Amino acid sequence: MREGLSAAGLPVPPAIAQSAHQIMHTGLRQAAEALRIQQQLEKAGVPALFLKGSTLAVRAYGSIAVRSSMDIDMVVAPGDVPCAWQVLEEAGYVMTAPARALPAGVLRTYQTISKDSVHRNPANGVKIELHWRLSDAAHESALPPPREWRQVEINPTLTLSTLSDPALFAYLSAHGAGHGWARLKWLADIGALLGNSEDGGSALWESARSSGAARPAASAIMLANTLLGTPLPPGFVPPRSVRLRLLNALSLRVIAAGGGARELSHTRWNSVVEPAAMLLTLSSWPDAWAQIRRIAIPAEDIVLLRLPPGFGFLYPLLRLPLWILKRTRWSPRVHVKLPQRAA
């Protein structure tokens, strides 16, 4: 906003100038930290992609200083998670979710339910979300193939790895739709990507449609057009879908209720709206089954109980007793060990 006012020759109110300065300072700090972490992961032999944050700011707006971001989102292959955790710990980060490291078998179960871990650096205040799956809308856990990567120049000599434009557009659409488009800045990112494309976004739409992401991508395009005035891509025809209409209607209500500024996790609608929005975006039965499984098994129960491999079927059965125990302000602090099968 400060840049727009300045370009128009209009005075910049002090509050906007201060906010812009804070966004610039945060963007520079996060970019420097992302470059540092990328270097440490490369030394450990762990490929990583950076999502949103600095890479999206440069790709969509041309500068890391104009897009606000609360954390650094990055993705690694599921098998590289333990090594990445160690790298982050050595870099000064404390893991807050899950609350502790998990044995290999328990970690595999945790990865099927949750898509990321959360790490905070108490020295500089930076938060990192380490993903092993791009979205909860997907049942698979995989690092996108190299053909879907691109390098974004942070300065003339340093770059960060991120998704190619078609993959980035599909990812941002799935992310925003799965959260009911609670924050208008997610739609602004969509509008910026469409506006920056040479063909007005037609190729981005066709790529998303052909990859099975038609519903969240159509939602992104339609809501950006309705709320922000972003032109529709040439040739865009939204799919005839009751679920798409329901998703957009739900999203408009969420945006209006939260002023387009609050994430669902910070509101009272999170426990209802997010599962509903996520189910409305799913495109296959495996994805639907995976999402239902995540609703049935809270990730925190896996961390609490750490059941051995082969006993995962007990998590849904234990959910109600654990819920009662938590509501009575008591919860087990012991590691539950079940008898091992005889060799």
Side-chain angles (χ1 to χ4, degrees), residues 11 50 57 75 139 142 157 161 165 190 195 216 233-234 248 265 314 317 343:
F50 290 82
V75 57
H139 68 278
T157 60
S161 299
D165 286 357
I190 293 294
N248 285 352
S265 59
L314 291 176
L317 301 178

Side-chain angles (χ1 to χ4, degrees), residues 7 15 36 90 96 101 117 158 161 164 171 190 240 265 279 338:
R36 182 174 78 95
E90 293 172 353
T96 60
S117 56
L158 297 172
S161 299
S164 64
Y171 162 70
I190 293 294
R240 290 186 171 184
S265 59
L279 289 172
L338 298 181

Side-chain angles (χ1 to χ4, degrees), residues 198-287:
E198 296 180 355
D199 60 359
S202 292
L204 296 178
W205 160 243
E206 287 299 326
S207 176
R209 188 176 63 84
S210 62
S211 66
R215 194 176 303 114
S219 175
I221 291 170
M222 296 168 71
L223 290 176
N225 174 258
T226 299
L227 298 176
L228 306 178
T230 303
L232 297 174
F236 169 74
V237 178
R240 290 186 171 184
S241 169
V242 173
R243 287 200 289 167
L244 175 59
R245 293 198 295 270
L246 289 174
L247 174 62
N248 285 352
L250 175 65
S251 298
L252 288 172
R253 295 180 72 88
V254 168
I255 292 169
R262 287 188 291 168
E263 294 198 37
L264 282 174
S265 59
H266 300 156
T267 71
R268 59 187 174 86
W269 320 298
N270 183 51
S271 60
V272 176
V273 173
E274 186 162 333
M278 193 68 67
L279 289 172
L280 288 172
T281 65
L282 299 175
S283 59
S284 68
W285 282 111
D287 287 351

